[in-house]
Amino acid sequence: MLSIWGLPAFDDNYLWIVHNGKDAVAIDPGDAAVVGKALQEHGLQLRAILATHKHADHTGGITRLLADSAVPVYGSQTDQIPGLTHPVSDGERITIPELNLTLEVIAVPGHTLGHVAYYAASEQALFSGDTLFAGGCGRLFEGSATQMRASLNKLAALPADTRVYCAHEYTLSNLRFAAAAEPDNPQVAARLQHVQNLRAEQKPSVPSLLADELATNPFLRSDQHGIVATLRRECGLPEHADADASFAHQGNVGISHVRHLGLTGAGVLVTGVSHCVGQACVADHAAQALGESRCRRKLVIKRTLVGLAAARRAGQTHGLVRAGSLLEGAGQLLHL
């Protein structure tokens, strides 16, 4: 099998290198200096660049890397990847001959409309970008809640022994949310403790195993009794709401609340656990704020809590307000 390295970058990104000791592929090279240093130190020749989506922390290093190596760049035409030479589409197979590596393209709109993931069956590896995280999933910028849910279902259908190489170290906050969403799941508690130990030793928590995601990631477990019970209790989920209807309804309510409170762009995810979408999920993903600094994350949570308090004073009780305990828990995690 090939070697896969995660190169830490920025606050919490991982830039992925797949290599055979001689030739290499870079996936989501947001920082050219980080990727270039690794290639040079290990005598690797860059053969291709793969981008999951257009955000700068995933594509910012492409132009500089191309100045040193004229290699093909794969990604979505929809996302307008810098230096793109090979637009890809859902179900397409990419072959990197120097590594004898074939990857399947999986369209996963939601985070962005053109987001794709890359699955290498021979390596049992999924490069999921900002769609599926360890213990969580990415927030919506452009796609709909329905699109994100369908995208997650696609990835969940891959073999359980697939290793998920996501792009951010968000696992600890994700699992804290998972524990709130499904408090009676012993696998969540065990995984949370394991990740706490890893992070205390400054070790990465990714890649993760898809089997573990299926067992502990609330965004892949929307039909589980424990999560549904939490959502009914915390978010006012109607007794007889079906998953699709609740998913869309709760997402729309969450968006409207967030916009009303002036928090658009504040790291709020309005998808994932089908019934929870824009309410309880706010707690975790407002805290993440998509890789923004800790100071910024604190500001996001503070503003969210201020808005929550105002809503309570106004006597509002649905949606976001019912998620108050989870929001406040997110604030406590950041020692506010």
Side-chain angles (χ1 to χ4, degrees), residues 3-311:
S3 295
I4 303 177
W5 293 343
L7 308 179
F10 311 119
D11 285 342
D12 48 35
N13 281 72
Y14 291 115
L15 319 180
W16 298 105
I17 296 288
V18 183
H19 72 92
N20 60 7
K22 178 182 177 183
D23 303 298
V25 173
I27 302 172
D28 285 349
D31 189 327
V34 171
V35 174
K37 180 181 179 182
L39 295 174
Q40 184 176 22
E41 287 182 350
H42 298 277
L44 300 174
Q45 179 65 47
L46 185 63
R47 295 298 184 181
I49 294 172
L50 278 60
T52 61
H53 64 291
K54 64 187 175 184
H55 291 153
D57 58 326
H58 296 254
T59 63
I62 292 178
T63 300
R64 183 173 162 188
L65 289 171
L66 290 177
D68 296 328
S69 303
V71 300
V73 178
Y74 298 86
S76 167
Q77 182 72 59
T78 302
D79 262 17
Q80 300 180 334
I81 304 300
L84 182 66
T85 61
H86 291 65
V88 299
S89 57
D90 187 46
E92 182 177 346
R93 293 183 181 275
I94 298 169
T95 299
I96 313 298
E98 295 87 353
L99 281 75
N100 192 28
L101 175 65
T102 298
L103 304 103
E104 178 186 351
V105 178
I106 305 174
V108 285
H111 185 65
T112 67
L113 288 176
H115 200 303
V116 298
Y118 299 98
Y119 172 59
S122 64
E123 310 305 311
Q124 300 174 303
L126 170 68
F127 299 94
S128 58
D130 285 359
T131 296
L132 176 62
F133 291 132
C137 68
R139 68 182 174 110
L140 292 177
F141 279 99
E142 300 172 351
S144 68
T146 300
Q147 284 177 314
M148 177 62 99
R149 186 170 183 233
S151 295
L152 291 171
N153 286 341
K154 276 187 180 181
L155 301 183
L158 293 173
D161 60 358
T162 299
R163 293 202 169 274
V164 180
Y165 294 84
C166 65
H168 290 275
E169 183 58 71
Y170 288 162
T171 316
L172 193 53
S173 61
N174 286 343
L175 291 176
R176 284 170 174 158
F177 171 74
E182 198 174 12
D184 295 327
N185 185 338
Q187 291 174 281
V188 171
R191 188 179 180 195
L192 175 57
Q193 183 61 60
H194 175 65
V195 171
Q196 286 175 329
N197 293 340
L198 287 176
R199 299 307 295 153
E201 298 175 5
Q202 297 186 321
K203 294 180 179 178
S205 65
V206 296
S208 62
L209 197 63
L210 185 56
D212 291 336
E213 299 307 322
L214 294 170
T216 63
N217 188 326
F219 299 88
L220 302 182
R221 297 174 56 78
S222 60
D223 59 345
Q224 296 301 302
H225 173 77
I227 288 181
V228 172
T230 297
L231 298 176
R232 285 176 177 159
R233 183 176 64 252
E234 300 289 347
C235 304
L237 175 69
E239 281 289 329
H240 302 294
D242 64 73
D244 287 336
S246 296
F247 189 95
H249 170 72
Q250 299 287 347
N252 290 335
V253 170
I255 291 171
S256 65
H257 273 290
V258 168
R259 287 179 177 166
H260 176 70
L261 296 174
L263 294 170
T264 300
V268 177
L269 175 70
V270 287
T271 188
V273 180
S274 63
H275 314 304
C276 188
V277 186
Q279 285 76 42
C281 294
V282 168
D284 180 44
H285 290 272
Q288 289 179 10
L290 195 63
E292 293 176 0
S293 68
R294 184 177 178 81
C295 179
R296 172 61 180 162
R297 292 176 195 176
K298 287 186 176 183
L299 178 61
V300 168
I301 294 295
K302 283 181 178 179
R303 288 178 176 174
T304 306
L305 292 172
V306 167
L308 175 61

